[in-house]
Amino acid sequence: MRQTGRDMLDTSARLLRLLSLLATGRAWTSGELADRLEITERTVRRDITRLRDLGYGIESQMGPWGGYRLGAGTTVPPLILDDEEALAVAVGLRAAALGAVSGSDQAALSALLKLRQWLPSRIADRLGTLDTALTHIARPDDGQTSPALLLDLATACRRGERLRMTYRDGSGAMSNRRVDPYRLVSTGRRWYLVAHDLTRQDWRTFRTDRVIDAAAIGQPVDLPDPPDPARLVSRGLAVNPYAMHVTIRLAMPLEEALRVVPATTGFHRPDGDDATIIDIGGPDADGLARYLLGLKTPLRILAPEDVRQAFLARVRRLLDENR
């Protein structure tokens, strides 16, 4: 008997429901699946055969406690989620992105961006309502970036579209910028947009909580020799905000040096396999000298001379006080 269009749709829907049950990871008997799907056990067996023909690795276990299950490591395209599951996944990804879960924040934001494009309008509307009702509590010295803005910036980076944005700098001055976005970087406390500033013709980092608004203008970006975004943000945090900076050399590999001077405090670069050069910013020479003494590790001050002399003066005072 030839299947009608309606019959084919019913069969497809049933196969998706069957696949969703099997994707839970447990074993199902034919009777359990028949009860859940409101079909006969014969139809269950026929549908299992169809799924196997489509490439799904469905295992059979014999005996009274046996049943059907997806084999370990089986890829399940498409991912089958009902409305509540899809909403739960979106909320979880949102929390991971805003909470800057170590190692996963960028991936979470990217995944959330993709998921929102696939969500049916009924679920997207519920997520939007949730966004307006929830507030992310940042640390007292942190700004807040709206999820919608983060998603807009992520979209521009992913599509390679030029942005027109209004930005407020650290002094509160407002400016209009045209930038070619490259990457979003999270430090665990804040998000930064790494972009090529067309006005200044240079690579810059922008704190996303200082972006007032941003809109793609539909023009593809031109990225001349893009930098390492994480290193650019790291250098900006460690050196640029301060009036003075010192360059030191530690006789230890980069990985060990990062434990002595965190990446948020200094800008690191290896000097061979067994040494690391670090730039560190500070308010003045004496403040930097005090910080370097607090490291309690052998070091060499490469520049500037003002910091070296302030460091030596502190060391001499310590020696005089302990004679």
Side-chain angles (χ1 to χ4, degrees):
M1 181 183 294
R2 185 177 180 181
Q3 241 185 347
T4 66
R6 178 61 186 175
D7 291 337
M8 293 177 64
L9 288 174
D10 289 344
T11 301
S12 298
R14 190 176 68 247
L15 289 175
L16 287 174
R17 289 180 60 201
L18 174 58
L19 189 57
S20 179
L21 292 173
L22 295 172
T24 60
R26 56 161 289 190
W28 296 83
T29 67
S30 294
E32 290 173 332
L33 291 172
D35 289 341
R36 283 295 193 98
L37 299 172
E38 298 180 347
I39 56 178
T40 66
E41 291 188 35
R42 181 181 178 184
T43 302
V44 169
R45 289 190 293 270
R46 192 163 53 234
D47 286 349
I48 291 292
T49 300
R50 287 192 177 103
L51 290 176
R52 285 171 172 163
D53 290 341
L54 291 172
Y56 293 99
I58 300 174
E59 298 175 350
S60 300
Q61 296 176 326
M62 305 303 293
W65 307 108
Y68 298 105
R69 65 166 48 188
L70 279 178
T74 298
T75 301
V76 185
L79 181 62
I80 308 301
L81 298 173
D82 62 26
D83 286 9
E84 296 304 320
E85 290 170 337
L87 186 61
V89 169
V91 172
L93 289 171
R94 179 187 183 279
L98 289 178
V101 178
S102 178
S104 68
D105 43 14
Q106 186 73 45
L109 186 61
S110 176
L112 179 58
L113 173 65
K114 294 175 184 176
L115 181 61
R116 294 190 77 156
Q117 292 175 337
W118 297 334
L119 290 177
S121 59
R122 64 181 182 278
I123 307 176
D125 290 345
R126 291 178 65 186
L127 186 60
T129 301
L130 193 62
D131 280 343
T132 62
L134 294 180
T135 300
H136 171 61
I137 301 177
R139 299 178 184 179
D141 57 341
D142 287 351
Q144 288 187 332
T145 305
S146 72
L149 177 60
L150 273 180
L151 288 169
D152 287 345
L153 295 177
T155 301
C157 291
R158 184 163 173 250
R159 293 179 178 174
E161 283 190 276
R162 184 164 292 172
L163 286 175
R164 182 186 295 113
M165 68 182 192
T166 305
Y167 188 73
R168 182 185 66 250
D169 65 18
S171 66
M174 307 283 282
S175 61
N176 294 317
R177 306 288 186 97
R178 285 192 313 132
V179 302
D180 288 343
Y182 179 48
R183 290 290 187 273
L184 282 171
V185 176
S186 172
T187 64
R189 298 176 60 189
R190 296 189 178 102
W191 282 92
Y192 291 83
L193 172 68
V194 175
H196 189 255
D197 190 317
L198 297 175
T199 302
R200 292 160 176 77
Q201 286 299 303
D202 196 10
W203 285 95
R204 296 295 174 96
T205 62
F206 301 92
R207 275 178 49 175
T208 60
D209 59 297
R210 291 178 178 168
V211 177
I212 308 303
D213 56 62
I217 61 177
Q219 187 173 348
V221 302
D222 178 22
L223 300 177
D225 191 21
D228 181 323
R231 286 176 62 83
L232 188 65
V233 171
S234 178
R235 181 175 180 83
L237 292 175
V239 178
N240 292 352
Y242 298 99
M244 178 172 284
H245 73 273
V246 63
T247 302
I248 66 172
R249 184 180 187 272
L250 298 183
M252 59 184 69
L254 177 61
E255 184 177 349
E256 188 177 346
L258 283 166
R259 290 194 289 267
V260 176
V261 180
T264 53
T265 302
F267 178 69
H268 302 63
R269 54 194 183 277
D271 185 24
D273 294 334
D274 300 316
T276 305
I277 293 175
I278 310 174
D279 296 327
I280 304 171
D284 50 45
D286 189 60
L288 283 168
R290 184 171 61 251
Y291 175 78
L292 295 179
L293 276 174
L295 295 179
K296 301 177 183 178
T297 191
L299 58 88
R300 180 183 175 191
I301 298 176
L302 302 180
E305 186 63 26
D306 288 352
V307 178
R308 182 184 293 109
Q309 292 303 320
F311 183 85
L312 291 173
R314 281 184 168 270
V315 171
R316 292 189 190 101
R317 286 199 297 270
L318 286 172
L319 290 173
D320 290 341
E321 291 170 0
N322 288 276
R323 285 178 177 173

